[in-house]
Amino acid sequence: MGIETAAPRLSWMIDSDQRNTLQTAYRILVADDPQILKSNTGNIWDSKKVSSAASIQVGYKGKALSAAKTYYWKIMLWDNHGNSSVWSDSHHWQMGLLTRADWKNADWIAHEVLPDSARILPSSRGERDKNGGTINDVLPLIRKEINISKKIKDATLFISGLGHFELSINGSKVGDHFLDPGWTNYEKQALYVSFDVTTALKNGTNAIGVMLGNGFYYIPKQKKRYKKLLVQYGYPKMICRLLINYTDGTSENVISDQTWKSAESPITFSSIYGGEDYDARKEQSGWNKPGFDDKKWSLAKSTSGPPVLNSQQAGPVKIFENFNPQKITKISKHTSVYDLGQNFSGIARISVKGNKGDTIRISPAELINTDGTANQKASGKPFYFSYILKGVDAETWEPRFSYYGFRYLQIESLRSASAAENESPEITKVTGLHVRNAAQNAGTFNSSSDLFNQTAKLIDLAVKSNMMSVFTDCPHREKLGWLEQLHLMGSSLRYTYQVENLLHKSIEDMSLSQTESGLVPEIAPEYTIFTWGGDMFRDSPEWGSSSIILPWYLYQWYGDQRGLTAAYPMMKKYAAYLETKANHHILTQGLGDWYDLGPKPPGVSQLTTMGVTATAIYYYNLCILEKTARLLGKTTDASRYKVLAAEVRKAFNTRFFNGKTNNYATGSQTANAMAIYMQLVLPEHKTAVLNNIISDIRKNKNSLTSGDIGYRYLLRVLEQEGRSDVINEMNSNPDVPGYGYQLAQGATALTESWQALPSVSNNHLMLGHLMEWFYSGIGGIRQEENSIAFKQIVIHPEIVQGLTHAETSYDSPYGRISTNWKVESKGLQLEVEIPANTTAELSIPIAKGQQITEGGRAVRWLAAKGRALIRTGSGKYQFIVQ
């Protein structure tokens, strides 16, 4: 729903039992009525038979599409075996609101309006403003009743509420989303969400109810609650258009305007950083149902909102797993700590009995103190949820507009002033609700190593906990979109989740945060301008370069050239900015290899000379821009980037390479690995530099020292150079800082530091790079260097010592790719699945004298460095090497 492009792209996967199946042609039908489509007619578009192998990102070429209208499509195919398919099932999409006029004069409305003079915006450097800002706001309820007298064909509600909204119709919540809409740069853009409300409406009187929360749109200035930063774009507001199409061919629009009514909600405090308070005594029963008496409510006030409204195309945030207490520790008569057994992003749901006015206060925490109480020292304190009872038999409550990262819940039961001493509220049930983006799973990994399986889970929990409407660093003290993880963790994310749309939103967030000078700040959306250490936490090329690297990676993984075209101006502008900051082509600003393992507490790069990582990334950017410019037909740009890249490479080697030791700068794992990965090292020195990397790892007892920036490149270089044995040894040792060490310290989600320090976050996304190796190394699922969207697949499993089995799958744009290998007494068994309309090169480990069979027949292969190379097409195969 909510498609805003004039030419949507259509993709399909081909299901065929025949091996080596390739598409040779397709025919697409698009209609504006499902009955028309059933007659095999496309009144909006009939592509006719198109001779083409394209089955992803096929652009629509029919009649002009109308805002808010639904279109139906199906397809038939022809293949290289002479087969033609039946027509596919019908599918559909609905257009969004394409212009401001499509909102039909809907207004932004609010209960209160914050004066422009009182606003605090990131550009005003107000994140530490102790004098400005308002202390709290009214969290409103907004309602409207409408009458329907005709039979409904379909109905769609387009709505945005800032910072967040919860929508209900006739007393029931619409959808299962949490924290709609996604976070954006509110000075420039807000997102709206499209809901199909056909079945929610009825003949007669209907009530639309909207509850609004603050999110990042308004952060209350509250001294008694934690806040990372202070921004106040405005008080909560909403805009909506309800489109009702009737079966008689007519339609009706209901829009937000000053006829809507508003009042204070029972939410008395809400902060994305400080928590949420709810006073059930202030509930107005039936407020979102027809017939409610709202005479005492105020008329909504018309106000202004962000200049651009776009459809929310990334998946929504939802509630997923539930975690129940594994242990309950009584701290005092009225306080207990509930251990849920897992660190995750979420909220608490409680069921409670008590007297009117009793209060339950919930303090979530990742860790506990020695006395068993909640420890929020490293995750932002004080943060808590509180609930004041209304005094009925049983009450159940959960927060709506704030969340935290936690494993433990410290719950205090406080009786009301009028209650007797023995009448404390009774908590009957506690549940932790995990909230995250609803991106679907894309991959699976399982092996014979319990340590690797636990490591994969450790990383996955951090990914899920920080996959919201932006990729956050942590789910508690910051919740900010630090950008370096988008390109460094990108492959790990794409192997495991269908995050294409969410990453496109990240690119848009970067574009909207880019300054006039071209700087892409380290966080996007940029809710605060960090001034610590000068611009160290704002201008770091390893972070801002996601604006160049990520669009290219998305093109490689999903074939989205249109997204690359849209991002190119931002990419070009950022490269120009870096050029102005370079001194003789060397960049030295920023954080360097953040959180590497040195002698001091983790932070700014300790082991790698400042300038190495920034300049290496700069060179990598220029190489990507050359390829992008050539792809987009911008040959003059491409030539310029090629020349500049050569100059940067020369300067990098002149400044940092030591020809006597064959080391870059200090010889750190990061410095040498990035020089190899970015192809900065001259070919004649590559082997010696690689040997230095391995020597350093051995010297450190098979331990890593690289940080946030360097570790991904260390893994990539070792895998590409055939040294997955070193990766295996590095990450199978729980006695040195790393994944196994974190698990040994009791971590249940990936921590911010390799040492699992209690003084920093214990649920952090940035160091999960090993997940990529699980899929591309152990599983062996890769694509050829010039392949796009896994059209040409490489299967190259690494059979490392100690592993006897691994089963891996990835749902690529063309379909599922899977490998399943087992080490047997006589050799190796490898099962492979290759999707239709692709080809693959299998690179299978083989020893001298061994042979390969498939289905009982001998297989012909080419030898290459202890491996058998086999070219094949789609299908399921079982190879035996013995």
Side-chain angles (χ1 to χ4, degrees), residues 478-507:
E478 290 196 2
K479 300 185 174 86
L480 295 175
W482 291 93
L483 295 180
E484 91 290 4
Q485 58 195 16
L486 295 179
H487 69 91
L488 295 168
M489 279 292 294
S491 294
S492 296
L493 297 171
R494 291 184 292 271
Y495 271 127
T496 49
Y497 290 96
Q498 300 288 2
V499 290
E500 181 181 6
N501 285 346
L502 186 54
L503 289 174
H504 275 300
K505 180 187 178 295
S506 298
I507 291 172

Side-chain angles (χ1 to χ4, degrees), residues 316-336:
V317 175
K318 295 185 179 184
I319 292 173
F320 283 84
E321 296 93 338
N322 291 0
F323 294 101
N324 296 313
Q326 305 299 302
K327 180 183 177 182
I328 303 174
T329 302
K330 200 165 186 64
I331 303 298
S332 67
K333 183 177 180 181
H334 302 294
T335 303
S336 295

Side-chain angles (χ1 to χ4, degrees), residues 103 208 222 349 353 524 767 820:
W103 284 89
I208 305 170
Q222 175 59 263
R349 176 187 290 157
K353 293 180 180 180
L767 295 176
N820 185 352

Side-chain angles (χ1 to χ4, degrees), residues 61 95 132 286 436 505 740 809:
K61 297 178 181 178
M95 300 298 290
R436 68 166 176 88
K505 180 187 178 295
S809 71

Side-chain angles (χ1 to χ4, degrees), residues 19 235 409 524 658 726 733 741 743 754 796 836 839 861 865:
R19 289 182 173 180
Y235 290 142
L409 294 171
N658 185 328
V726 179
N733 184 0
Y741 187 86
L743 289 164
W754 288 122
H796 189 106
T839 58
W861 45 275
K865 296 181 180 179

Side-chain angles (χ1 to χ4, degrees), residues 161 185 216 283 291 313 557 673 708 712 782 847 856 864 873:
N185 179 341
F216 275 101
E283 290 180 348
Q313 289 296 284
W557 278 69
D708 179 21
R712 194 243 171 180
R782 313 173 186 177

Side-chain angles (χ1 to χ4, degrees), residues 398-444:
E398 64 197 55
R400 286 179 168 89
F401 300 120
S402 188
Y403 76 102
Y404 202 70
F406 62 94
R407 170 178 172 171
Y408 303 95
L409 294 171
Q410 179 172 308
I411 303 182
E412 300 172 76
S413 303
L414 309 173
R415 65 180 183 272
S416 66
S418 60
E421 188 172 343
N422 62 347
E423 290 185 336
S424 297
E426 177 192 359
I427 297 180
T428 58
K429 189 173 183 180
V430 173
T431 308
L433 308 179
H434 176 31
V435 299
R436 68 166 176 88
N437 190 276
Q440 295 180 342
N441 286 90
T444 61

Side-chain angles (χ1 to χ4, degrees), residues 468-598:
M468 304 299 283
S469 58
V470 302
F471 283 101
T472 62
D473 58 332
C474 57
H476 32 65
R477 70 166 191 253
E478 290 196 2
K479 300 185 174 86
L480 295 175
W482 291 93
L483 295 180
E484 91 290 4
Q485 58 195 16
L486 295 179
H487 69 91
L488 295 168
M489 279 292 294
S491 294
S492 296
L493 297 171
R494 291 184 292 271
Y495 271 127
T496 49
Y497 290 96
Q498 300 288 2
V499 290
E500 181 181 6
N501 285 346
L502 186 54
L503 289 174
H504 275 300
K505 180 187 178 295
S506 298
I507 291 172
E508 189 168 30
D509 289 338
M510 286 187 279
S511 179
L512 293 175
S513 295
Q514 188 171 35
T515 68
E516 288 297 319
S517 69
L519 167 69
V520 175
E522 293 174 38
I523 58 171
E526 191 180 24
Y527 291 128
T528 184
I529 297 176
F530 288 116
T531 56
W532 309 334
D535 282 335
M536 181 180 294
F537 286 91
R538 196 185 191 209
D539 181 10
S540 198
E542 303 89 339
W543 277 250
S545 291
S546 275
S547 62
I548 292 174
I549 301 171
L550 184 60
W552 178 253
Y553 282 1
L554 288 190
Y555 169 67
Q556 288 182 311
W557 278 69
Y558 302 114
D560 182 13
Q561 186 171 329
R562 193 184 298 181
L564 196 59
T565 301
Y568 186 69
M570 171 184 65
M571 300 164 70
K572 186 175 178 179
K573 190 175 179 181
Y574 184 59
Y577 171 79
L578 293 181
E579 190 173 356
T580 68
K581 299 289 287 187
N583 183 6
H584 298 291
H585 304 301
I586 301 296
L587 294 171
T588 56
Q589 75 266 35
L591 301 171
D593 192 22
W594 180 250
Y595 263 56
D596 59 350
L597 271 168

